[in-house]
Amino acid sequence: FVNSYVLRTQAGLAVIDPGFAHNAKALQEGVRGWSDAPLRVAVYTHGHTDHAFGLRAFLASGERPEIIAQENCPARFARYHLTHGWNARINQRQFSLPAPLFPDRFDWPTLTFRDSLTHAMGDATLRLHAARGETDDHCYVFVPEHRYLFTGDLVIWNAPNCGNPQKVQRYPGDWADALEEMAALDADWLFPGHGLVVKG
């Protein structure tokens, strides 16, 4: 349903969008089957429940990555806590769930930024840029050494979801600006929040 990505660098691993809480163990097992390097960084491209809740297994095993998000993400988590029951009912209705469901445990960002942040990781540089699209706490990540672009839900392989009867209206003008900014990076790889990866 959602894409999670892990980047291996000389300084350790970076996970971009760790995903759902209920997939946390599977994510950790998949990563540990591939690399035993320490998890140094986790990036939330935004605070939606399918992107920012899958770190629990790593944290339970003692890893303490820097958790990076745009500065509006903590306010989103606080709002989710205050409106937990309402969000659980909305999700039940929107996704035809058998019962209300919404997370109420948060792995809070340890480092936030407003407009942009550059984070060096050995042979790779994470360049994070704030953007508004589906959310007001969104960012995308560009890794210039490999020309990787991680878009979160700014690209989801559907027409942009600028709002629906179940959710707040979103930011189509800012979203278009972010798409143009990302296109100007001339990335070789596009890693979307949902859907297929594109090379070339």
Side-chain angles (χ1 to χ4, degrees), residues 112-160:
T112 63
F113 67 97
R114 177 167 295 171
D115 298 316
S116 64
L117 175 74
T118 298
H119 190 87
M121 291 194 67
D123 57 334
T125 308
L126 307 182
R127 293 187 180 170
L128 293 84
H129 300 272
R132 295 200 309 176
E134 279 200 10
T135 71
D136 65 352
D137 64 340
H138 217 295
C139 69
Y140 59 88
V141 183
F142 184 58
V143 182
E145 293 86 355
H146 303 291
R147 308 209 64 75
Y148 293 164
L149 176 62
F150 300 90
T151 68
D153 280 359
L154 294 165
V155 176
I156 61 171
W157 285 106
N158 282 291

Side-chain angles (χ1 to χ4, degrees), residues 170-192:
R170 292 163 175 177
Y171 306 93
D174 294 339
W175 202 333
D177 291 342
L179 292 171
E180 290 184 352
E181 290 171 10
M182 291 188 296
L185 294 171
D186 196 28
D188 290 334
W189 291 83
L190 170 68
F191 298 95

Side-chain angles (χ1 to χ4, degrees), residues 1-149:
F1 180 81
V2 65
N3 295 336
S4 296
Y5 302 103
V6 180
L7 179 65
R8 184 165 44 201
T9 77
Q10 291 174 347
L13 303 180
V15 60
I16 298 171
D17 285 343
F20 279 116
H22 65 267
N23 287 338
K25 187 65 176 172
L27 175 66
Q28 183 197 38
E29 289 174 352
V31 170
R32 289 298 163 229
W34 169 68
S35 174
D36 60 1
L39 179 61
R40 298 298 191 197
V41 171
V43 175
Y44 300 159
T45 62
H46 59 299
H48 276 173
T49 61
D50 54 340
H51 290 262
F53 288 77
L55 284 178
R56 190 59 43 85
F58 286 105
L59 298 177
S61 69
E63 301 211 55
R64 294 294 176 263
E66 187 87 88
I67 303 173
I68 305 175
Q70 201 276 339
E71 69 177 7
N72 291 327
C73 184
R76 172 176 299 280
F77 287 175
R79 186 170 67 250
Y80 281 171
H81 176 72
L82 288 172
T83 59
H84 177 263
W86 180 79
N87 280 309
R89 287 289 185 185
I90 290 293
N91 269 15
Q92 180 185 18
R93 182 183 305 127
Q94 182 176 1
F95 298 110
S96 301
L97 302 175
L101 180 66
F102 203 76
D104 197 25
R105 291 184 61 192
F106 307 96
D107 299 317
W108 295 84
T110 58
L111 176 63
T112 63
F113 67 97
R114 177 167 295 171
D115 298 316
S116 64
L117 175 74
T118 298
H119 190 87
M121 291 194 67
D123 57 334
T125 308
L126 307 182
R127 293 187 180 170
L128 293 84
H129 300 272
R132 295 200 309 176
E134 279 200 10
T135 71
D136 65 352
D137 64 340
H138 217 295
C139 69
Y140 59 88
V141 183
F142 184 58
V143 182
E145 293 86 355
H146 303 291
R147 308 209 64 75
Y148 293 164
L149 176 62

